[in-house]
Amino acid sequence: MKLALVGDIGGTNARFALWRDEQLESVRVLATADYPGPEAAIRAYLAELGLPLGAVDSVCLACAGPVSGDEFRFTNNHWRLSRAGFCRELQVRELLLINDFSAMALGMTRLREDERVLVCPGEPEANRPCVVIGPGTGLGVGTLLALDDGSWLALPGEGGHVDLPIGSPREAELWQQLYLMLGHVRAEDVLSGNGLLLLYRAICALDGHEARLSSPAEVTAAALNGDEVALGVLEQFCCWLGRAAGNNVLSLGGRGGVYIVGGVVPRFAELFLASGFARSFRDKGVMSAYFEGIPVWLVTAEYPGLMGAGVALQQALGSR
């Protein structure tokens, strides 16, 4: 491959890097609000590095939402692009668009040992799917499969939009409160950054507390400072994440292991490790024994989505 560019584009930030010799170089983070579209952001990125148009031969962009056809509209920011127009404007030969959690899943294949923390001990089973799940702006869910030729297959999906699972009378009461606030209750409605605040408000309404906190960051900070209500919010968040992760393991036969990713959980990693996540992960009645030996890791890598975009590009174009 010649010089390539990879991007991981979210609602607030777009992360770009060069991909050379199967490694990331020159990572930059740009605010999506500062640019009318991805072409303008990439022009600015290349200009900062002193690279002219045409210096990059191929591009892979990891984007939230299903990707197909020539036209793509980003689901969580104002950007949109035409594949043909993008390649023409930036003088790029190849553009690969992939689902953001496909990129995240592929990024797990390049993790160093110091970029993940063991949550549940076990040994991954060869040739079985891995589950990649992560609360961030939304809730992403991906599946990773090792193929016989040594390459990897990431299956895109919209698993964050499944119904929120209920596993106890307390959760049933909370679900009713959330239903009054939202109507249909998705896993993503709770298991996301904004979901932390929604869950806080639901718990306050249910238990008769004054809702004094007004942002996810305030809820996290209050919990880290010992606030009992906020601690209860994070505990319930972790338990629901465990139930959602366990449901995906059962659906996919995910005995290859589970990776917890995204920007939310690492902010309260110690509380997460001490929480009821592991108990809720395995709490499946007659199928609870199925979870024996399935490892779970909390991923702390800084740019796994960018790395996964590079892996996707390498697999798609490396043989050419």
Side-chain angles (χ1 to χ4, degrees):
M1 290 173 58
K2 298 180 181 179
L3 186 62
L5 182 146
V6 293
D8 181 13
I9 299 173
T12 303
N13 294 313
R15 300 162 183 84
F16 296 110
L18 299 180
W19 179 257
R20 179 158 36 196
D21 297 328
E22 299 192 36
Q23 296 295 326
L24 299 175
E25 294 181 4
S26 305
V27 177
R28 301 288 188 276
V29 181
L30 305 181
T32 56
D34 292 344
Y35 301 92
E39 296 89 347
I42 291 173
R43 278 178 175 270
Y45 172 77
L46 294 174
E48 181 182 346
L49 299 182
L51 293 173
L53 295 181
V56 169
D57 186 61
S58 52
V59 174
C60 178
L61 300 180
C63 316
V67 290
S68 62
D70 180 70
E71 297 284 338
F72 180 77
R73 184 188 298 271
F74 292 79
T75 58
N76 50 6
N77 64 44
H78 63 284
W79 287 4
R80 59 191 304 175
L81 66 77
S82 156
R83 293 175 191 255
F86 179 98
C87 292
R88 184 171 55 250
E89 179 175 340
L90 296 180
Q91 301 176 30
V92 170
R93 179 176 59 88
E94 300 269 5
L95 170 63
L96 178 64
L97 295 182
I98 64 173
N99 177 268
D100 59 339
F101 252 74
S102 292
M104 186 68 78
L106 288 170
M108 301 302 98
T109 68
R110 298 295 184 90
L111 286 181
R112 302 191 309 266
E113 282 302 316
D114 64 349
E115 292 179 322
R116 63 184 189 180
V117 177
L118 187 65
V119 180
C120 298
E123 289 295 328
E125 291 188 12
N127 302 318
R128 298 298 295 272
C130 302
V131 173
V132 184
I133 183 169
T137 303
L139 177 65
V141 181
T143 307
L144 181 67
L145 294 169
L147 303 181
D148 291 339
D149 64 0
S151 64
W152 297 87
L153 176 64
L155 302 179
E158 295 298 331
H161 297 281
V162 301
D163 296 338
L164 183 69
I166 300 171
S168 70
R170 168 68 170 178
E171 289 176 359
E173 291 177 340
L174 278 172
W175 182 90
Q176 288 182 311
Q177 184 62 46
L178 290 163
Y179 183 81
L180 291 174
M181 300 165 73
L182 297 174
H184 181 246
V185 185
R186 305 167 300 165
E188 179 175 281
D189 291 324
V190 168
L191 298 175
S192 59
N194 287 335
L196 266 179
L197 182 60
L198 181 70
L199 182 56
Y200 167 74
R201 289 172 174 166
I203 286 176
C204 287
L206 183 62
D207 295 342
H209 302 300
E210 180 185 358
R212 300 177 294 101
L213 307 176
S214 59
S215 72
E218 288 184 10
V219 175
T220 300
L224 293 174
N225 287 325
D227 181 273
E228 289 189 8
V229 175
L231 281 168
V233 172
L234 263 58
E235 173 65 18
Q236 183 59 63
F237 181 96
C238 294
C239 289
W240 254 323
L241 181 57
R243 296 197 192 285
N247 284 352
N248 276 279
V249 166
L250 288 177
S251 296
L252 298 166
R255 297 192 58 84
V258 177
Y259 296 87
I260 307 298
V261 299
V264 174
V265 177
R267 295 172 185 166
F268 49 87
E270 290 188 11
L271 289 176
F272 173 74
L273 294 173
S275 75
F277 169 89
R279 182 187 68 253
S280 299
F281 175 65
R282 298 186 297 262
D283 182 18
K284 300 300 179 188
V286 296
M287 289 302 295
S288 296
Y290 183 84
F291 291 83
E292 291 299 322
I294 298 178
V296 180
W297 299 277
L298 172 62
V299 175
T300 59
E302 193 170 12
Y303 300 115
L306 277 179
M307 182 63 78
V311 172
L313 194 60
Q314 192 75 34
Q315 292 192 159
L317 305 179
S319 61
R320 300 184 193 179

